[in-house]
Amino acid sequence: CLLSDGWDLTSELADSLSTCSVLVVGAGGIGCELLKNLVLTGFKNIEVIDLDTIDVSNLNRQFLFQKKHVGKSKAQVAKESALQFCPSANITAYHDSIMNPDYNVEYFRKFILVMNALDNRAARNHVNRMCLAADIPLIESGTAGYLGQVTVIKKGMTECYECQPKPTQKTFPGCTIRNTPSEPIHCIVWAKYLFNQLFGEEDADQEVSPDTADPELAWNPEDTAARATASEKDGDIKRISTKEWARSTGYDPVKLFNKLFKDDIMYLLTMDKLWKKRKAPTPLDWQHLENSGFQRNTHSCPQEDSPVSGLKDQQVLGLWGYCQLFQHSVETLRSQIQEKGESAELVWDKDDPPAMDFVTAAANLRMHIFSMNMKSRFDVKSMAGNIIPAIATTNAVIAGLIVLEGLKILSGEIESCRSIFLNKCPNLRKKLLVPCILDPPSANCYVCASKPEVTVKLNVHKTVVLTLQDRILKERFGMVAPDVQIEDGKGTILISSEEGETEANNNKFLSDFGIRNGSRLQVDDFLQDYTLLVNVLHTEELERDVEFEVVGEAPDKAPPPQSKPEEVNSITNGNKDSSQPSTSSKEKKNMEKQERENESHSLFIYFISLIWDLF
């Protein structure tokens, strides 16, 4: 395979590359570039896993894919394309989720190195824990627009991915938005996409219809190949756009409602595999709702007795209330479009009442369909944020940096690994790439500490077991299949990961099991080989709509002041990291400066050599 003269590997390292096994998790934007770089560098034994399938919107930045591949497995096509660079490589592709129990700790121990190219926090948390349990080095990476980051995680030596609190995630996988939303923010993003598809500038990356090539669909390679071939013969995927269809109906609110919240949901229900381990969505039918008495209850019970004055935006309407709001907002937006002309486009603005009403209504109707608690207009407005675009060159740079850090690890020089930040603009040293010394593990980390422990503040008389399982242990602490035992001297099992064993406990309050202030719960996730001790702090003074708090958590706390302003790194991948140089002596700072210059220069040579060899 291809390496430049400036990057000749020692025979020992070259032998290591050809014999070692590495795992690449994710075959999307970063994963495509990474897989290509690995085979060109000389890696021979690679396993790649990705749950996703190729969408038209991927083709502008995921260069291992072509139009003929639409609908096929990303992992499988990435493997086939990468083999064209180096046919002698041995690549195994899995069209699957890395969170599948089949990929247990023993599976991870097969590899000398794991490289993440993921796009969601839940999977990152899971791989982080699996690598800690298997004691395998992990190279974590991420991009957000022009920003990027690469860091190395090694048990006992460095911070793990969860050592530092992360702010709310800003980007989400397309299949989650379109098919399997699990959080209110997923529905809010979907509703914003829907606004643009109906009234604004259409964007292929903002499709809202069910993903017909969903990675978890009952996937058959022959079927998807046939679909891709048929699409290729047609020249492209032939379907009327959402906006064209809406215009053909005259923006009829009832027809839009039944298409979005009935027909599309019924189509999702045909994707069997999506609902094997999830609660299936419930379609809504306008006529049924109109005739069944729902219209008499436009507000949800908790808000019925609340004073209306000054609190309108904070009220949570009932199901029919959001149906009416959807109808009214569509009619208003239709009038705005008609006034501006047939080809006019509206721009979503959270301060524009009709646009905000539409997103609030559409998001809440989708939340109801997917069994989530609906949100007030105020909450929806505060959660609606900007979507960060993916940039192909950022992915390429980050993928190159992953390989460089991997070569250090395989050379036995893990102590020379760095967290590297790619910034949009040069810092005061005129550098876009800023390497920082890896920080040691946090003594307070609830994942990689020797005895992970947290304190959770909640009301034991109002918190049910299902909330503890889903909202606290799975959603907040990233567990997959938690088992919970109360430390009460009896070993009472509160939650079991075995299906059906403790389902009867789900709707009971924690206090029903004798849990009170000071109680301790031992939580085990055997898949992740992870144990967490949860201390319960009972309180009746939580803020409104707050179910629990993790004591001592301060995700929005400002970072400490830096002695060197130019060293402050940017927020990348939605994370605010504190991986700043920890050196204090002048000699160490000079060494760091020289290292930055050497690494930046070497990286430039490496990229130029790859491009030269390709052409």
Side-chain angles (χ1 to χ4, degrees), residues 387-405:
I387 305 302
I388 302 171
I391 307 296
T393 47
T394 308
N395 291 336
V397 172
I398 292 303
L401 291 170
I402 294 172
V403 175
L404 294 179
E405 295 304 300

Side-chain angles (χ1 to χ4, degrees), residues 485-494 513-516 519-522:
Q485 179 177 307
I486 306 172
E487 291 194 349
D488 56 0
K490 307 173 187 175
T492 303
I493 303 298
L494 186 66
F513 297 89
I515 297 173
R516 58 185 186 276
S519 292
R520 291 159 68 89
L521 310 176
Q522 181 174 310

Side-chain angles (χ1 to χ4, degrees), residues 582-598:
S582 57
T583 52
S584 56
S585 69
K586 184 176 180 180
E587 179 181 358
K588 287 187 177 180
K589 286 183 179 179
N590 287 337
M591 289 173 64
E592 279 292 296
K593 180 179 178 181
Q594 185 63 47
E595 231 175 61
R596 291 188 193 97
E597 293 173 351
N598 290 342

Side-chain angles (χ1 to χ4, degrees), residues 28-31 33-34 61-62 116-120 124 140-151 161 169-172 387-402 420-423 433 570-575 577:
I30 296 175
E33 296 289 340
L34 177 57
R61 62 188 180 276
Q62 298 175 20
N116 264 356
L118 289 162
D119 58 4
N120 70 91
R124 283 189 170 103
E140 179 58 75
S141 66
T143 62
Y146 293 99
L147 306 178
Q149 176 186 346
V150 173
T151 193
Y161 178 72
Q169 187 174 345
K170 295 290 193 299
T171 58
F172 308 95
I387 305 302
I388 302 171
I391 307 296
T393 47
T394 308
N395 291 336
V397 172
I398 292 303
L401 291 170
I402 294 172
I420 306 174
F421 298 90
L422 172 64
N423 296 319
L433 292 170
S570 300
I571 299 173
T572 311
N573 193 34
N575 304 331
D577 284 81

